[in-house]
């Protein structure tokens, strides 16, 4: 059952603020976001292929290069009449490959070059806030903004929280692989945004995301990115080999600060808290959030008057439309 009542002008409500202190090494210069160039217009970009099984839901453009469109499998591609891109029922966006009509070939060459430049940028950042933090096991930790560096791999087997304001930046330099165990989540708090989170992964396997995992941020992988069944990503999967999917939800981060936040509670009277793993699409005015096993009541927090117009189930997600 869902409460469609409007939460109006919550920004005017004055609450108590709790200051949280995070242990840090000596202060270093704040990081700037990694420049993605034209690669930033893609939610998935790969050199050798993109494949999916199951009911995958992608919001944003995807593309391959130099591999041909035949290496995009499981999407049931339909060529647009322009010949410049394809569409798919699994993709809210366009699908590009180098063999399509002009100007797509040059578009893909530039995007791949920009992806490689972004990887080099992220890998080349200096003066890390921490090196070899927690010996690479971030399970259960809360991390402040900054630059983090490991000479081996990084493991996440339970929830990690990235806590910081909306302009804060996290860059993770991982020489080995990034492995997330099933059910683990990367969460954000304090206004932190996925568009300012970057995972630079140089390992020989790449990125391994377990079942029902949730990740925030852009993945810049020297090798492959593999999302297992039911995993979700609010960010980008940019791989220098292949991206492999299995019934995943992947959404490109908003390029502007979202002014719409879904809150939920177990009882109608609250308390209401930010719904975990929510993905807001400002263009389509929808919010997607994993389905809870218990009854949940939903409201929207916004600086403007909004109304929930529909609530539907899609696979393991609740999709909320507002106006």
């Amino acid at each position: 059952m869902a409460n469609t009542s409007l939460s109006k002008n919550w920004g005017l409500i004055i609450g108590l603020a709790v200051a949280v202190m995070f242990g840090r090494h000596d202060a270093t210069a704040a990081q700037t976001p990694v420049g993605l160039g034209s690669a930033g217009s893609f939610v998935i970009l790969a050199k050798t292929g993109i494949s999916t099984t199951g009911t995958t839901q992608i919001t944003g453009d995807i593309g391959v290069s130099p591999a041909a469109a035949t290496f995009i499998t499981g999407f049931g591609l339909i060529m647009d009449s322009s010949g410049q891109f394809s569409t798919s029922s699994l993709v809210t966006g366009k699908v590009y490959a180098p063999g399509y009509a002009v100007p797509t070939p040059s578009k893909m060459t530039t995007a791949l070059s920009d992806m490689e430049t972004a990887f080099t940028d992220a890998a080349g950042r200096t003066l890390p806030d921490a090196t070899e933090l927690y010996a690479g096991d971030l399970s259960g930790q809360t991390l402040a903004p900054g630059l983090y560096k490991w000479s081996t791999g990084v493991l996440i087997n339970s929830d990690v929280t990235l806590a910081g304001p909306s302009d804060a930046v996290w860059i993770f330099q991982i020489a080995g692989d990034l492995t997330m165990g099933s059910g683990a989540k990367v969460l954000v708090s304090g206004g932190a945004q996925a568009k300012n989170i970057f995972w630079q992964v140089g390992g020989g396997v790449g990125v391994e995301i377990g079942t029902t995992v949730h990740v925030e941020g852009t993945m810049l992988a020297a090798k492959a990115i593999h999302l297992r069944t039911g995993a979700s990503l609010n960010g980008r999967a940019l791989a220098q080999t292949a991206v492999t999917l299995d019934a995943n939800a992947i959404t490109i981060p908003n390029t502007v600060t979202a002014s719409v936040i879904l809150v939920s509670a177990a009882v109608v009277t609250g308390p209401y808290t930010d719904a975990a793993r929510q993905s807001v699409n400002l263009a389509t005015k929808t919010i997607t959030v994993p389905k809870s096993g218990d009854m949940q009541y939903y409201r929207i927090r916004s600086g403007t008057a909004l109304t929930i117009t529909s609530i539907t189930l899609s696979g393991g997600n609740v999709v909320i439309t507002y106006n």
Side-chain angles (χ1 to χ4, degrees), residues 162-176:
L162 307 183
S166 61
D167 60 348
V169 175
W170 287 259
I171 299 176
F172 302 99
Q173 296 175 334
I174 305 169

Side-chain angles (χ1 to χ4, degrees), residues 277-298:
R277 298 166 59 187
Q278 64 181 282
S279 176
V280 180
N281 189 320
L282 298 178
T284 61
K285 295 185 178 181
T286 58
I287 307 172
T288 303
V289 63
K291 182 171 60 178
S292 170
D294 301 316
M295 181 180 293
Q296 288 291 307
Y297 295 84
Y298 295 103

Side-chain angles (χ1 to χ4, degrees), residues 31-59:
Q31 297 295 318
T32 57
V34 174
L36 299 176
S38 63
S41 66
F42 289 87
V43 66
I44 302 176
L45 186 59
K47 286 186 176 182
T48 64
I50 303 171
S51 64
T52 187
T53 55
T55 306
T56 286
Q57 299 175 343
I58 297 173
T59 302

Side-chain angles (χ1 to χ4, degrees), residues 178-201:
L178 171 61
T179 305
M180 291 190 65
S182 296
K185 297 184 288 293
V186 174
L187 305 174
V188 293
S189 68
Q193 300 188 74
K195 69 175 185 177
N196 292 330
I197 302 167
F198 303 91
W199 306 84
Q200 179 263 319
V201 183

